[in-house]
Amino acid sequence: MAEIMEFLREFNIYSVVIRIVCAFLLGGAIGFERERNGHAAGFRTHILVCIGAAMVVLTGFFSVEVLRFSSDPLRMAAQVVSGIGFIGAGTIMVTHAHNVRGLTTAAGLWSTAAIGLATGAGFYEGALICTLIMIIVMSRFKSFDKLISAGKSSFTVYFEINGLDNTNEVLENLKGNGISLRNIDIKAPKSSASGNIGIEATVPCKKGDTEQELIDKICAVDTVVFAVITD
């Protein structure tokens, strides 16, 4: 077994093929989990990231072992760690409710690139262990994530009040009723009623709160004309 691993860590055509195939399989395993759950970066994206990272390392080794360049073979690989951030940033978005989505996918892409680098360098054991742990975290820790964030959901609500002078009073009354508004945005009224002021804001909700209960609490405040959930 030791002889086989030593052979696979040598730089030759056989080890190159094996490392690229390993990058394909490991990146595909992570991408399959993402694809199955409908995420932006899925099966093909993770495969390409992993293979690309492996090829960067292999190219560095090729320049030193074959072309005899007097340089660090991992110098190119260092750029992958920072460069993959551009791809990861493309998977992150802010929803209408000001919630950030896509961070797990972005982190997964970054980690997949690291797996590709490890595979290209011949660190098969580390690449395999990292892949298994990533799949477990992405697929099995969702319920744990939901348990931590239980009761921390939020709604984006739009409501109108009668008269601009009543704005501060309404906000204070809402706060007294246990409703804390965030990302408050004053808007032109959507209704045709004269003298109304529109307000759109994010409302964090406690566990068990429903949309209707939230609307009822807002409408119970004096001078609030109506309220609707917009997301």
Side-chain angles (χ1 to χ4, degrees):
M1 186 64 182
E3 291 80 4
I4 296 176
M5 293 304 299
E6 184 177 351
F7 171 76
L8 292 177
R9 288 193 172 95
E10 294 177 357
F11 188 81
N12 52 60
I13 186 60
Y14 304 106
S15 65
V16 168
V17 172
I18 291 173
R19 293 179 194 189
I20 294 176
V21 171
C22 284
F24 168 80
L25 295 175
L26 298 179
I30 298 171
F32 177 77
E33 192 282 332
R34 297 280 89 187
E35 187 81 36
R36 186 179 58 181
N37 290 281
H39 293 278
F43 186 65
R44 292 182 299 171
T45 303
H46 282 78
I47 288 177
L48 293 175
V49 166
C50 200
I51 290 179
M55 276 304 303
V56 170
V57 176
L58 290 171
T59 302
F61 286 152
F62 179 82
S63 65
V64 173
E65 298 290 336
V66 179
L67 300 181
R68 302 301 178 183
F69 288 169
S70 57
S71 62
D72 183 359
L74 296 179
R75 188 173 184 178
M76 293 175 61
Q79 309 307 313
V80 175
V81 178
S82 57
I84 194 64
F86 289 100
I87 298 178
T91 68
I92 302 174
M93 61 180 179
V94 181
T95 67
H96 186 65
H98 302 283
N99 295 320
V100 179
R101 300 188 61 184
L103 286 175
T104 302
T105 300
L109 284 172
W110 188 86
S111 299
T112 301
I115 290 173
L117 294 175
T119 304
F123 187 24
Y124 304 101
E125 304 93 325
L128 179 59
I129 293 172
C130 185
T131 300
L132 294 175
I133 292 176
M134 282 182 62
I135 292 176
I136 292 173
V137 170
M138 289 178 172
S139 61
R140 301 300 179 186
F141 278 32
K142 291 180 181 178
S143 57
F144 183 70
D145 210 17
K146 292 179 180 179
L147 181 63
I148 295 176
S149 60
K152 296 183 180 179
S153 59
S154 61
F155 297 110
T156 299
V157 62
Y158 171 84
F159 60 96
E160 290 188 11
I161 62 176
N162 186 257
L164 180 61
D165 295 338
N166 298 321
T167 303
N168 291 334
E169 182 181 353
V170 168
L171 295 179
E172 288 296 326
N173 289 337
L174 288 174
K175 188 175 181 180
N177 289 344
I179 300 177
S180 178
L181 302 182
R182 298 177 182 174
N183 306 308
I184 300 174
D185 189 11
I186 306 296
K187 294 180 172 291
K190 297 180 180 180
S191 68
S192 57
S194 177
N196 283 4
I197 296 297
I199 297 178
E200 187 174 73
T202 302
V203 183
C205 298
K206 299 178 181 178
K207 185 176 181 180
D209 282 351
T210 64
E211 294 184 7
Q212 190 57 52
E213 289 174 343
L214 177 62
I215 294 298
D216 291 342
K217 288 181 180 179
I218 295 176
C219 290
V221 176
D222 291 338
T223 71
V224 173
V225 181
F226 72 92
V228 293
I229 301 294
T230 61
D231 66 334

